[in-house]
Amino acid sequence: MLKQKRKMPAAPAANGNQSDGSDYEVEWQVKPTPPKVSKANLFPLPRQVERNLQKRTRGRKESSSEESEVEDAEGLPTLTTEQVAAILDTVKNNKRFVLLVNNLNFTTAKEEIEQHFDKAGRVKGVRMPKRRSSGFAFVEMLDPVGFQRAFLLDGSYLDGRKISVDLSESGNKKSEERIKLLMQKNAEIRKLRKKNRSNTQAAEITLVPEVNNTPKQPVRDKFLNKPKVKIPSKKEAKQAKRQVSLKAKLKNIAKKGIKA
């Protein structure tokens, strides 16, 4: 028996409408790809865990926005005297000039903070938390001039950390409403400082001490700055003795009533 080769069926045409000689037509259908299912959909987290994650992400967003604001506040001028007076009117205890310093190093001491803020003016006191769980401190300035210049230290470096200087109030305990009001006031202060770039009154205030070029008059000391006494020679000493002796003789004669 001779082996006959089987003929393979022809491949379907590119267009499904063209027939290949068969009695029926084949419709080519492309099946849709199923959507990819992630592990998060397959294994959803509990509700409490999702809430905690949302809180953390919110806190990170807020901190990043605050950092961007701090970076924008670098090199800005301080407030004018009128702006400082208007802000202090809204503070509860406006006789105390308190500032909040953030982003401090945990190892930074009070003396270092006081020395850093001495550039702006006299520091009345520095208050830090007993437990150093967060890097912040409260700095109280002695007068409004130092309070005004202290805002120029915003964005400066202290102990290797870039610090931020904000407005604060005196008192140990503050309610949530007071904290929100302080945050609003600090946002207003940043806006005012950005506007003060074109204000000459605010731009002239600097931390560089004023240098008087006028020469100071030397202070004369009655002990150290005594005129030098000239030592007389032998001849001058003899003449002085003779004059003294003649004067003494004349006085004695005058006392006795004898006219010379």
Side-chain angles (χ1 to χ4, degrees):
M1 296 291 291
L2 294 171
K3 292 182 180 180
Q4 294 180 354
K5 293 182 179 179
R6 292 182 182 180
K7 292 182 179 180
M8 298 295 291
N15 296 326
N17 295 329
Q18 293 179 0
S19 61
D20 56 349
S22 59
D23 296 336
Y24 60 92
E25 294 179 355
V26 178
E27 293 182 357
W28 292 90
Q29 294 181 357
V30 179
K31 293 182 180 181
T33 56
K36 292 182 179 180
V37 181
S38 61
K39 291 183 180 180
N41 294 327
L42 289 172
F43 307 102
L45 294 171
R47 292 181 180 178
Q48 189 64 30
V49 177
E50 285 183 357
R51 288 174 185 172
N52 293 335
L53 286 171
Q54 288 175 0
K55 287 180 182 178
R56 287 179 186 176
T57 52
R58 284 176 190 170
R60 286 174 185 172
K61 286 178 182 178
E62 289 175 359
S63 63
S64 63
S65 63
E66 287 178 359
E67 286 176 0
S68 63
E69 287 179 357
V70 169
E71 288 176 359
D72 294 340
E74 273 187 48
L76 292 177
T78 185
L79 303 170
T80 60
T81 52
E82 295 175 356
Q83 291 170 351
V84 170
I87 287 164
L88 289 174
D89 286 337
T90 60
V91 178
K92 190 175 181 182
N93 191 0
N94 54 10
K95 292 182 181 179
R96 297 180 66 181
F97 312 106
V98 185
L99 296 163
L100 174 63
V101 185
N102 283 312
N103 200 27
L104 286 170
N105 200 342
F106 295 156
T107 58
T108 307
K110 288 183 180 180
E111 291 78 11
E112 291 176 334
I113 299 170
E114 188 174 353
Q115 188 177 3
H116 188 69
F117 277 84
D118 272 336
K119 301 172 186 175
R122 292 184 64 186
V123 180
K124 189 176 181 180
V126 179
R127 186 164 59 87
M128 301 178 74
K130 293 181 181 178
R131 296 179 181 177
R132 300 298 299 275
S133 58
S134 55
F136 70 93
F138 296 96
V139 179
E140 186 176 356
M141 305 302 290
L142 189 66
D143 51 9
V145 178
F147 178 78
Q148 183 183 20
R149 290 182 177 176
F151 284 105
L152 292 170
L153 293 170
D154 187 19
S156 62
Y157 285 88
L158 174 59
D159 201 5
R161 301 288 293 273
K162 187 188 287 184
I163 61 171
S164 63
V165 181
D166 294 323
L167 175 69
S168 185
E169 289 183 357
S170 59
N172 294 327
K173 294 181 181 179
K174 296 182 183 66
S175 61
E176 292 182 359
E177 294 181 358
R178 300 301 300 172
I179 293 168
K180 288 180 181 178
L181 285 171
L182 284 171
M183 290 173 71
Q184 291 176 1
K185 287 175 187 175
N186 285 316
E188 291 175 2
I189 287 168
R190 288 191 188 94
K191 289 179 182 177
L192 288 171
R193 291 179 66 193
K194 286 179 182 178
K195 288 181 181 178
N196 286 344
R197 282 175 176 169
S198 58
N199 194 343
T200 54
Q201 292 180 358
E204 286 176 356
I205 300 168
T206 59
L207 294 172
V208 180
E210 295 179 358
V211 179
N212 293 326
N213 293 325
T214 56
K216 293 182 179 180
Q217 293 181 356
V219 179
R220 295 187 65 82
D221 192 356
K222 61 181 180 180
F223 297 105
L224 297 175
N225 296 325
K226 277 184 178 180
K228 293 181 178 180
V229 180
K230 207 173 186 183
I231 300 170
S233 62
K234 290 182 179 181
K235 288 182 180 180
E236 290 174 353
K238 285 180 181 180
Q239 288 176 2
K241 281 181 181 180
R242 285 175 186 173
Q243 289 176 2
V244 170
S245 61
L246 285 169
K247 285 179 182 179
K249 286 176 182 179
L250 291 170
K251 281 181 182 180
N252 292 328
I253 293 168
K255 284 178 182 179
K256 292 177 181 180
I258 301 169
K259 293 181 180 181

